Amino acid sequence: MYSFTTRVRYSELAEDKKASLVSVINYFQDCCTFESEDGDIGLGWLADHNTSWMLTGWQIHVIRRPRYCEEIKVTTWACGFKYFVGKRSFTITTLEGEVLIYAMSEWAYMNIKTQRPEKNVPQKELDVYGMAVPIEDRFSEFGLSEYVESNPDKALLKGKISLPEIMNADDEFTGLKPQPPIVVTADNLDTNHHVNNAQYVALAKSVIPEEIDVKHFRAEIKRQSVLGDVIYPYIYREDGRIVVMLCDEAEQPKLISEYYI
């Protein structure tokens, strides 16, 4: 397990003076990149091997978002490897150990030149990351059992979230309302020269006109976007859930994101 401590900054807040969902994702992203750098398998190592870990999916569950100036501890650990897919768990806790947010994630090990999966993860990376039990199998250890068992969204809290039926038999969208297109700018890109996963979520969340208090969040990244790409957003609403899809011009999903409120 790898951890770092930080303090919630003003620049990381939503309107309610608590860390925003995008800031939470950035905390998680920073935690795993810090671990990689401290283990000498960071950006330089990956560049030498023409590889990168690219996020393909998030499941984030919020008990409460940390408040302005609150000191927090962000922790991550690898909890699964198979072929080119890696799994990671995350927590954000108070310094006293109270879990505020936990998350599950999946990553693909990619060759950045061919843009194809790289099946053989170097042993050095496997050794640095190690392997531990995923968060969904450690609820009692983290004091989450009572919270999960007493919650009506129990299936969600255990990581079992299914997408709504928003495609019909002809692969056409049903119930999804198109929104104005978005052009990818340089501010959206990361060191891999594509839209960073937190930026993808920020773009999707910008489609929702009102401020929402997200209890559970799920995202699947289907396709990458680069500078100058035009993204076509769609929004779907039902009681307690909002779905935002970011698509290309052919209506092929690039990001599917769900917000349970």
Side-chain angles (χ1 to χ4, degrees), residues 50-61:
N50 297 310
T51 54
S52 179
W53 285 101
M54 296 188 181
L55 184 93
T56 58
W58 278 120
Q59 291 186 31
I60 300 174
H61 304 284

Side-chain angles (χ1 to χ4, degrees), residues 3 38 97 129 156-157 203 232:
S3 302
D38 289 355
Y129 293 138
L156 304 183
L157 294 167
L203 293 176
Y232 298 85

